Amino acid sequence: MDKRILKTKKNIRTAFFNLITEKSYEKITIKEIAERARIDRKTVYNYYKGVDVLLEELENELIANFEKDVDEFCFETVEDAMFAFSAFAKHLSEHMEEYSLLMKIDRHSILSDKIAAFLKGKVRSIIDKSNVQKRKIDLAVEYVTAGIISSYRYWFNSDREQSLEAFTSDLARLIIGGTPVYFLKK
């Protein structure tokens, strides 16, 4: 892609992220993004038909990077799940600003749904190798992925007293070992 196009798109994204820190997503307009990026509104429309399209592209890029980062690890067993959490935490830390802002948008469920769909496939591929009834697998997959998504959303929207790495470690112990292991081990 042409360097000028990349620079323009980067300016548009930066303007968008700056606006998210100041106001709710629903109130952001293409006109404001253009003014903040110091470009003509028509230029923004050349790349994005609306704010929703811009947000969707940002989410899709994050998800593609997330899938690539997590897929680098081979997960065969439940014990390998610790590596999955490590890969997840590494990815989040590399894209901390984007996730921090996008998780605060009321429309965050679309990003969460995309992450959940990918995680469900990963969790299912691990559990499917065991000799477990399908209904139990379905319940376990829903429980684990909903817990992961909800927990990270909680962390992103909290005061973050705990580091991402420590939070991820606690979450991994909770999911892999269950509540007795989580509460009894230090």
Side-chain angles (χ1 to χ4, degrees):
M1 196 179 294
D2 186 302
K3 287 182 183 181
R4 291 174 295 175
I5 293 172
L6 291 173
K7 184 178 181 199
T8 301
K9 288 183 90 170
K10 182 178 183 213
N11 289 341
I12 292 168
R13 291 165 179 228
T14 300
F16 174 72
F17 280 126
N18 288 336
L19 286 165
I20 286 178
T21 64
E22 299 169 13
K23 61 194 312 185
S24 71
Y25 166 78
E26 293 78 18
K27 294 183 179 180
I28 295 173
T29 65
I30 291 293
K31 180 182 177 193
E32 290 174 308
I33 293 170
E35 288 171 359
R36 187 64 62 99
R38 295 186 177 126
I39 57 177
D40 188 68
R41 191 170 57 171
K42 287 165 65 175
T43 303
V44 178
Y45 279 115
N46 284 337
Y47 301 107
Y48 305 103
K49 300 295 180 217
V51 179
D52 288 338
V53 175
L54 170 59
L55 179 61
E56 184 177 356
E57 182 177 294
L58 292 167
E59 290 174 340
N60 288 340
E61 285 179 14
L62 273 176
I63 296 302
N65 287 329
F66 170 72
E67 290 175 0
K68 182 179 81 55
D69 290 348
V70 173
D71 272 341
E72 288 179 4
F73 295 90
C74 181
F75 306 112
E76 299 292 327
T77 66
V78 173
E79 291 79 24
D80 294 338
M82 286 304 286
F83 295 114
F85 279 102
S86 296
F88 196 38
K90 181 178 182 278
H91 170 80
L92 290 175
S93 67
E94 290 172 356
H95 302 279
M96 183 70 72
E97 185 176 350
E98 295 101 324
Y99 279 106
S100 293
L101 294 170
L102 294 177
M103 285 293 195
K104 291 181 183 192
I105 295 175
D106 290 336
R107 191 178 163 268
H108 69 268
S109 62
I110 293 172
L111 178 63
S112 299
D113 289 347
K114 291 176 182 179
I115 293 170
F118 176 75
L119 288 177
K120 285 178 184 179
K122 282 294 187 190
V123 172
R124 183 172 300 285
S125 71
I126 293 170
I127 298 173
D128 274 346
K129 293 176 181 148
S130 60
N131 195 12
V132 178
Q133 296 173 346
K134 182 182 177 340
R135 69 177 177 77
K136 287 187 176 185
I137 291 173
D138 291 342
L139 177 60
V141 167
E142 288 299 320
Y143 175 78
V144 169
T145 55
I148 291 170
I149 297 298
S150 179
S151 297
Y152 278 107
R153 186 179 308 129
Y154 161 78
W155 184 84
F156 273 108
N157 290 302
S158 72
D159 57 11
R160 300 184 197 173
E161 289 180 11
Q162 189 178 29
S163 72
L164 177 60
E165 293 75 20
F167 179 83
T168 298
S169 178
D170 280 353
L171 181 59
R173 280 198 333 270
L174 178 59
I175 289 175
I176 294 168
T179 51
V181 170
Y182 175 71
F183 285 118
L184 297 176
K185 284 191 173 180
K186 292 186 178 192

